[in-house]
Amino acid sequence: MAAEHGILDAQAAAWLDEYRQGRVEALGRVVEQYRRPLFGFILNMTEGREDAEEVFQETWRRALRHADRLDGRRLLSWLFRVAHNLIVDRVRAKKPVESLNSEPRAEEPGRAPLADRLPAPGPTPAGESAGRDLDRRIRQAIDRLPPEQREVFLMRIEGDVPFREIARLQEVSINTALARMQYALKKLREDLKDEYAAWVEE
Amino acid sequence: MNCETTRNRILLDQSRELSRVGRWLLAGHLARCPECRAYRAGLTGLAGAVRQVRWDESFDAGLAGRVAAGAAVPAPRAKRGRERAPVFLARPALAYGALSVLLALAFVLILRPFQRPPPLARTAPDSALAWDADVDDRLATLDVLVNQDDADWTETSGAAADSGDVDSIARQLLELEGEQI
Ligand SMILES: [Zn+2]
């Protein structure tokens, strides 16, 4: 799990160095490299695509303000932290009483399911349909998690953010961060029962 | 050992946050517990599948380009230094103030190594070595106890006593490392 992130981070670090030496096109490669995990995280934690795109752009804008000091090997995890802070600010601005650190709740008022917040996908070639079905079910299962569990799960799996840092960001103890991850995994195991059984067998 | 604690250790191991003793305890538990091995395999499978999800299907393809295009070329440090210079020149009091702070800082930074008694400078590595040796000794003891534990597994009373020893030494080691898990 960590090795996969390590390779991506080493590549991003090299591109970031090129950018610092004045080659702006190298930055495009870094943005592209982390587009999927970062946009996925933001999309899952915001109200919809437009919101997500705004936060995505602002995350990079803020990160690049400190381009001198950015550590390319830990860039993704750092981008997740910036995105977390922006999302918390937005939640607080919209709903002053609620926050990401509130107690787990089954429903997020006013937040439509992820599938309803995204445009309908185009026609799918037959060979890809099984993979797309798993994609859809994973998306739905993650979308059903309470926000604080969803955030811990995505920060860990997609952003490789350490638990100590997640705990600091969510202003909870490391044991609470671990418990949130365990609850998330339990629910995902239940929702993805068949796939889970196959992963265990492998 | 408790499976719940082990599963937290699996998570901390994957985030590279598990202590040395924690890793040792985890390996021991995994060797014996098929449920926790299955848990780890399931977690690895789930993480791999989640990392394949195409979250960005709805992503505006021009957005990444706009982020890059909107970013300024980072200015070389020297140039920015020159840009800031007139502010100091225009405010001599600020310049003198900054200079005195810098001199004070340089004084502290340069003289500190001479003020520190040499034996104290060596204390940290020595105690770290002693600490490592201590953990090594206890891990070796744990290895012996656990191997005995394996051999006596069917003898309930012996196994229980050994498990107690293993747990208490493991707890002491975790305390030494300043960890709870
Ligand atoms: Zn177990």
Side-chain angles (χ1 to χ4, degrees), chain A residues 2 4-5 20 22 31 35 40 43 63 65 85 115 122 127 148 153 159 175 189 198:
Chain A
E4 208 173 302
H5 281 290
R20 286 195 194 104
V31 175
R35 182 179 91 173
L43 185 67
R65 255 194 244 157
N85 290 333
E148 57 288 322
F153 178 80
N175 284 336
R189 264 199 306 273

Side-chain angles (χ1 to χ4, degrees), chain A residues 74-154:
Chain A
R74 299 177 62 202
L75 180 60
L76 182 62
S77 149
W78 199 77
L79 289 167
F80 269 61
R81 289 167 219 190
V82 175
H84 162 90
N85 290 333
L86 286 169
I87 293 162
V88 167
D89 286 349
R90 286 168 87 92
V91 170
R92 281 183 187 149
K94 281 182 187 168
K95 303 168 197 162
V97 184
E98 294 183 43
S99 85
L100 276 172
N101 295 325
S102 59
E103 285 304 302
R105 52 182 186 273
E107 300 286 331
E108 280 169 87
R111 186 172 186 267
L114 184 66
D116 296 350
R117 289 183 275 123
L118 297 178
T124 310
E128 275 187 43
S129 66
R132 295 227 164 203
D133 185 50
L134 178 60
D135 252 36
R136 184 181 53 77
R137 293 195 308 113
I138 291 176
R139 283 168 183 237
Q140 284 174 347
I142 291 175
D143 195 46
R144 278 195 286 268
L145 296 172
E148 57 288 322
Q149 291 175 22
R150 192 189 314 137
E151 185 178 59
V152 174
F153 178 80
L154 290 169

Side-chain angles (χ1 to χ4, degrees), chain A residues 41-56:
Chain A
F41 169 67
I42 296 170
L43 185 67
N44 272 285
M45 301 307 301
T46 48
E47 300 285 324
R49 200 188 78 174
E50 275 175 32
D51 254 19
E53 290 189 351
E54 262 179 57
V55 173
F56 180 88

Side-chain angles (χ1 to χ4, degrees), chain B residues 39-77:
Chain B
Y39 171 92
R40 189 177 59 174
L43 176 60
T44 306
L46 174 66
V50 169
R51 291 206 200 99
Q52 301 295 316
V53 172
R54 284 154 287 196
W55 303 112
D56 48 351
E57 269 183 342
S58 66
F59 190 88
D60 170 0
L63 193 58
R66 287 205 295 281
V67 167
V73 180
R77 280 162 201 269

